[in-house]
Amino acid sequence: MRHNRSINHLGRQSGHRKAMLANLACSLIEHKRIQTTVAKAKALQKYVEPLITKSKDDTTASRRCVFSYLKNKEAVAELFRTIAPKIENRPGGYTRVLHTGFRQGDGSEMALIEFVDFNEAALATKEKAAAKKTTRRGGAKKAAEVKAETPATEAPAETPAEEKAE
């Protein structure tokens, strides 16, 4: 039974689990998106979001605190230089877990974990939707104006039947 177990132990002892989550977090920070099992993705989300929150405050103390979890200088530098400025206005929810199906070999449920602000496809559709924000209320009025202007500017061409009648 799992009475009062606040974290998923992932079938590993604490040292192995901490090392695995640190490696997953470094990979996520480096690549901005990784594919793993759903259980690991959810555990990673709980592990990495407090570190991202701490990276908003770029001080030596916060860098040292984050480094004590990640154990990778390059990942810490990437987190503080590129990720933190992009998420500084976001109050939380920096990552998203997307279920992708089942693994071929053992049938494990797989997921894609990614940073919310680094998904170019989702950001492009969001910008396109924001750019195309129009209402339908004025559509009929504008169409009537265009039709009214068209005959005034263009002279109607004579048809061959009218030419013969003259």
Side-chain angles (χ1 to χ4, degrees):
M1 294 196 193
R2 53 174 311 274
H3 295 300
N4 291 330
R5 282 193 174 186
S6 60
I7 63 166
N8 188 352
H9 292 266
L10 299 172
R12 290 161 174 82
Q13 293 185 357
S14 65
H16 186 188
R17 185 174 55 252
K18 288 175 187 173
M20 181 191 64
L21 288 173
N23 287 332
L24 283 171
C26 291
S27 295
L28 178 65
I29 291 167
E30 182 183 342
H31 299 292
K32 312 298 186 273
R33 170 186 301 169
I34 58 172
Q35 185 167 10
T36 184
T37 62
V38 172
K40 287 180 189 173
K42 288 179 179 179
L44 177 61
Q45 195 172 25
K46 279 184 165 182
Y47 184 84
V48 79
E49 294 222 358
L51 299 179
I52 298 169
T53 302
K54 192 160 286 280
S55 73
K56 289 181 177 183
D57 182 29
D58 192 4
T59 61
T60 305
S62 62
R63 281 182 180 262
R64 285 178 179 167
C65 183
V66 170
F67 180 75
S68 72
Y69 284 92
L70 296 181
K71 313 276 193 294
N72 187 337
K73 285 183 189 178
E74 290 81 18
V76 172
E78 178 79 11
L79 178 64
F80 279 86
R81 284 190 192 132
T82 61
I83 295 172
K86 268 198 151 180
I87 52 98
E88 69 182 350
N89 296 329
R90 184 177 285 275
Y94 312 111
T95 58
R96 89 168 46 101
V97 175
L98 302 168
H99 296 255
T100 58
F102 298 94
R103 189 160 48 198
Q104 185 69 34
D106 62 354
S108 295
E109 193 173 359
M110 299 300 287
L112 191 72
I113 182 168
E114 65 183 3
F115 285 110
V116 173
D117 293 328
F118 284 88
N119 187 349
E120 291 82 17
L123 292 175
T125 58
K126 187 177 180 182
E127 289 174 3
K128 191 181 290 184
K132 192 189 169 188
K133 191 172 184 178
T134 61
T135 60
R136 295 177 46 120
R137 289 177 285 186
K141 183 179 177 184
K142 289 180 183 176
E145 289 177 6
V146 171
K147 287 182 181 178
E149 291 177 8
T150 305
T153 56
E154 294 180 10
E158 293 183 10
T159 59
E162 291 176 0
E163 290 176 4
K164 291 180 184 177
E166 293 177 3

